[in-house]
Amino acid sequence: MSNFKITYFPCRGRCTAIKMLLSDQGMTWEEDTISSLSEWESSETKKESAFGQLPGFTDGDFTMYQSNAILRYLARKFDLYGSNDKEAACIDMLNDGVEDLRMKYLNMIYTNYEEGKADFVKSLSVQLNHFEKLLFKNQEGKVCLVGSKVSYFIFLICSTVPLLHLTVFPSRRCNSVHLTACSQTPLTILTSLCH
Ligand SMILES: N[C@@H](CCC(=O)N[C@@H](CS)C(=O)NCC(=O)O)C(=O)O
């Protein structure tokens, strides 16, 4: 029986990378799903949460919040944080790059969809190209984005890029992301999604 619990809403949102990472490590977890915003607003869970937001993550008697901090916690636990401080810093840098992209996306979706979508789509290939360039800097993409080990970042980008694609290009499918394939062929997945 796993000691992990994820508390979130009934959507993929900010939990997909966490779930992909746990799945890839052969872990299971319990899900505590808050079914609606009205349930959330009046819940004890909201009152107890660190910043009044989800996801929340529990490992035994330890509970934490902030999706990227949860990813980094799991990265340390499962050795998915590079081989030294510099690799860890580069992995964090990539993570923050995806976070910036995600925030632009959320801003467009929630505040400026009709007028902002075309510009967002236009800028997406430029944005993704940054990651692709970084990918090819590391032994021409033959190994992981940073160093030679799989890092937590791969789960973040594999969960974020399909989200962007499916939203802005609904006719394209990105079904090629298989949870168990992440450790084996992370770069193939990433490059196939970016093209
Ligand atoms: N920086 C936070 C953002 C969390 C966040 O925006 N959570 C949203 C759902 S994705 C939420 O809890 N919304 C309900 C609320 O703000 O009351 C993270 O990465 O976990």
Side-chain angles (χ1 to χ4, degrees), residues 2-154:
S2 135
N3 282 327
F4 300 133
K5 184 173 83 178
I6 295 173
T7 306
Y8 199 50
F9 302 104
C11 61
R12 296 184 196 183
R14 286 188 170 271
C15 281
T16 312
I18 297 167
K19 291 177 184 175
M20 286 172 84
L21 186 156
L22 287 173
S23 288
D24 198 52
Q25 295 299 316
M27 296 293 127
T28 57
W29 61 91
E30 187 191 326
E31 293 202 21
D32 180 8
T33 305
I34 308 291
S35 55
S36 66
L37 278 179
S38 54
E39 179 190 336
W40 167 241
E41 287 303 335
S42 57
S43 68
E44 282 304 306
T45 317
K46 181 170 171 92
K47 280 184 211 138
E48 284 162 10
S49 65
F51 302 103
Q53 289 193 310
L54 294 175
F57 183 78
T58 300
D59 178 3
D61 57 6
F62 171 65
T63 296
M64 66 178 297
Y65 299 87
Q66 290 291 349
S67 58
N68 289 313
I70 297 165
L71 275 177
R72 288 192 290 268
Y73 171 74
L74 293 172
R76 288 186 198 96
K77 200 176 180 78
F78 294 113
D79 190 21
L80 298 165
Y81 216 149
S83 303
N84 54 50
D85 285 353
K86 286 180 182 146
E87 285 188 10
C90 289
I91 292 163
D92 283 344
M93 180 186 84
L94 287 162
N95 179 77
D96 290 2
V98 171
E99 181 62 26
D100 287 352
L101 186 53
R102 180 183 274 268
M103 291 315 289
K104 284 181 196 158
Y105 164 77
L106 291 176
N107 191 40
M108 184 273 291
I109 290 289
Y110 290 120
T111 67
N112 194 24
Y113 184 72
E114 292 305 330
E115 285 172 19
K117 185 178 158 184
D119 279 348
F120 182 83
V121 170
K122 213 157 89 190
S123 73
L124 193 55
S125 59
V126 177
Q127 305 271 356
L128 292 177
N129 197 251
H130 295 312
F131 293 101
E132 202 159 340
K133 271 200 243 149
L134 290 163
L135 166 72
F136 279 91
K137 260 191 193 167
N138 197 9
Q139 296 183 39
E140 298 187 336
K142 292 193 188 74
V143 291
C144 286
L145 274 174
V146 175
S148 53
K149 284 175 13 184
V150 170
S151 75
Y152 79 89
F153 170 74
I154 207 75

Side-chain angles (χ1 to χ4, degrees), residues 12-13 16-17 20 97-98 101-102 105 120 124-125 127-129 131-132 145 153-169 172-177 189-195:
R12 296 184 196 183
T16 312
M20 286 172 84
V98 171
L101 186 53
R102 180 183 274 268
Y105 164 77
F120 182 83
L124 193 55
S125 59
Q127 305 271 356
L128 292 177
N129 197 251
F131 293 101
E132 202 159 340
L145 274 174
F153 170 74
I154 207 75
F155 303 103
L156 188 75
I157 191 123
C158 283
S159 61
T160 305
V161 174
L163 172 79
L164 303 175
H165 273 241
L166 286 176
T167 310
V168 295
F169 308 117
R172 291 194 203 167
R173 307 302 305 180
C174 290
N175 293 336
S176 55
V177 182
I189 292 169
L190 182 57
T191 46
S192 68
L193 290 173
C194 289
H195 284 294

